[in-house]
Amino acid sequence: MDFSGAIKKIYGEPLEGDVVDVYDNKGTFLGVGHYQPGSIAVRILAFENITPDADFSGRGSDSAITYRKAIGIFNNADLNVFRLVHAEGDNLPGFNN
């Protein structure tokens, strides 16, 4: 599946990882994401006009940990491994550990 084919026009020459704004074909703002050449050209970080910074990723990581504590897998003696951050599932696309 090639999602990059859905992009009508790219303004400028973004480099991999650059933060870009995404608009529909009528000029309506859709979101902010990071550019990645390939089949998924933009991974959306937010559907609002924000500037992703260190606080943004920190809040996302904190939210992921809080959720895992709430469902009982953080500090669980019966588990020896779990995914701390699950990219899109934790609203941090492209960020896995």
Side-chain angles (χ1 to χ4, degrees):
M1 197 178 278
D2 185 3
F3 296 107
S4 62
I7 295 175
K8 182 177 181 179
K9 185 169 186 170
I10 296 175
Y11 295 95
E13 297 180 21
L15 301 174
E16 184 169 359
D18 281 353
V19 174
V20 296
D21 293 336
V22 179
Y23 296 86
D24 69 12
N25 63 345
K26 295 179 181 176
T28 303
F29 178 81
L30 298 175
V32 174
H34 64 82
Y35 179 74
Q36 178 179 338
S39 64
I40 301 177
V42 178
R43 295 184 182 270
I44 297 295
L45 298 169
F47 293 101
E48 55 194 19
N49 200 353
I50 63 161
T51 301
D53 54 14
D55 289 337
F56 173 81
S57 60
R59 284 189 308 274
S61 298
D62 290 346
S63 176
I65 292 169
T66 299
Y67 176 71
R68 280 143 185 83
K69 287 179 180 177
I71 64 172
I73 64 172
F74 199 88
N75 293 330
N76 184 327
D78 294 329
L79 297 174
N80 64 359
V81 66
F82 65 91
R83 184 177 281 182
L84 182 61
V85 173
H86 188 266
E88 284 82 0
D90 288 312
N91 296 316
L92 293 168
F95 184 84
N96 288 310
N97 73 350

